[in-house]
Amino acid sequence: RQARATLARYDDAQKPLWITECGLATQPPSNPSPFGGVTDEAGQARFLRALYRTVNAQAIFWYQLHDSIILDAEGHALKEVYWGLVSRDLQRRKAGFAAFSRAGSRVRSLPWENNAAPTPRTPPPRQAAR
């Protein structure tokens, strides 16, 4: 809401707003880190539903699809992280996965968008070589 109000104050209310690298871990990383919050899987799903229901943004990018390992420059494991909606081995979907799927299917038009299909952009016809 604050970002939208700021855009409106500077006559940029029509400008798209994106939320990037948004997420919430379902357990602490294997190597402690002060970065980011931690909840259980049900809490991750609640956060995701609330985010999509209340944030007035044109795009929301969830970080990450699956749990992963962060590597250093030489390829050595630094820590395991659990921001994903799916387990690292891709075998188990967390509760957040279903919430993400449902949220994506209910995306609505936003105030600055009209419901018309975008006008296709095609390059001008090429001139024949002489």
Side-chain angles (χ1 to χ4, degrees), residues 1 8 48 50 65 74 88-89 94 97 116 120 126:
R1 290 185 186 115
L48 201 150
L65 175 60
E74 287 80 38
R88 189 177 82 216
D89 63 5
K94 299 179 187 180
F97 185 91
R126 298 181 91 182

Side-chain angles (χ1 to χ4, degrees), residues 7 12 31 48 51 83 90 99 102 107 110 115 121:
L7 288 170
D12 277 335
N31 188 3
L48 201 150
L51 176 72
W83 296 309
L90 307 177
R102 284 191 296 275
V107 172
L110 298 172
N115 290 325
R121 297 180 69 186

Side-chain angles (χ1 to χ4, degrees), residues 24-70:
L24 185 58
T26 56
Q27 66 184 61
S30 61
N31 188 3
S33 170
F35 181 75
V38 177
T39 187
D40 59 13
E41 291 185 18
Q44 183 191 53
R46 282 191 303 275
F47 172 78
L48 201 150
R49 284 190 300 269
L51 176 72
Y52 276 84
R53 191 173 48 246
T54 61
V55 173
N56 184 9
Q58 184 175 12
I60 300 173
F61 295 89
W62 188 264
Y63 184 84
Q64 296 177 289
L65 175 60
H66 62 83
D67 294 337
S68 61
I69 297 175
I70 296 178

